[in-house]
Amino acid sequence: MEELLELALAAAESGAEVLRGRDAGRLGVTGKSGEGDWVTRFDVAAEQAVLRTILDRRPHDTVTGEESGTHRPEHPSGIRWSVDPLDGTTNFIRGIVYYCTSVAAADAQGNWLVGAVNAPALRRTYFAVRGAGAWVEEDGASRRLEGPVPDRAGRLYGTGFSFDADRRERQFPAFAATMRQYTDMRRLGSAALDLCLVADGALDGYGEQGLHEHDWAAGALIAEEAGALVTRPELPSPAAGEVPAADRLAAWLTARERGIPG
């Protein structure tokens, strides 16, 4: 596990280093699946940096990246990485600081082992190891994350909505019902960072529909290891070298205080 965590942190840092070179005049923005769903040349460059870091050290691992798909070795090790090189692309384009590089590794049974989320504009790196807890490193100091504060007044809920107007309209009723248990909400534009803020206790809960696996792979493990109750979209457990269908649009991912309905 120590080797995998070290590599996850190094890979996330390699992507974040690319993002630190943000140049508003050279973003290279193009559309993906629809209006509001963007990719920049930084997404692509950051993913290539992450992939090089992982595969240089572990060439027999499988790596699934948001932009380039799945890289399968001839003789897979049984470890698979899920990479979001730039979670919060719209924020990145607009100069809003909530964006990050997210890297996580799972075993052949689909158990998430390590995760790292590096937010360069915030100068924070969140990370976790399965069964061993979660931490944040900021300004050279690390501290353990302990999740949402129990029974706190003024509970805050984080969420996000689809780029597609019809799908977004269908999301609103479930959101409204959930908000009866919270006082207010925040919408950061990065699922990975929303989950890390649940881990850090800044948010008391988070839920979002229609996420891809790379959006939540690292953040969900970090929140879970901090003590939050995490419900992931149901994905098949992949055999070595196989990749689950990551896009389950009807499924919600939630993270919240244990014992509190979400």
Side-chain angles (χ1 to χ4, degrees), residues 220-235:
L221 178 64
I222 292 166
E224 192 168 55
E225 287 298 323
L229 177 63
V230 175
T231 303
R232 297 171 176 83
E234 290 187 10
L235 302 176

Side-chain angles (χ1 to χ4, degrees), residues 116-165:
V117 172
N118 190 316
L122 300 177
R123 294 184 296 179
R124 295 177 191 167
T125 300
Y126 300 88
F127 57 97
V129 178
R130 181 181 178 86
W135 295 264
V136 60
E137 182 176 311
E138 186 175 14
D139 297 327
S142 296
R143 59 181 171 83
R144 188 157 185 160
L145 300 174
E146 299 181 352
V149 177
D151 303 319
R152 177 165 53 183
R155 298 175 71 230
L156 287 179
Y157 183 70
T159 194
F161 299 101
S162 173
F163 296 116
D164 180 80

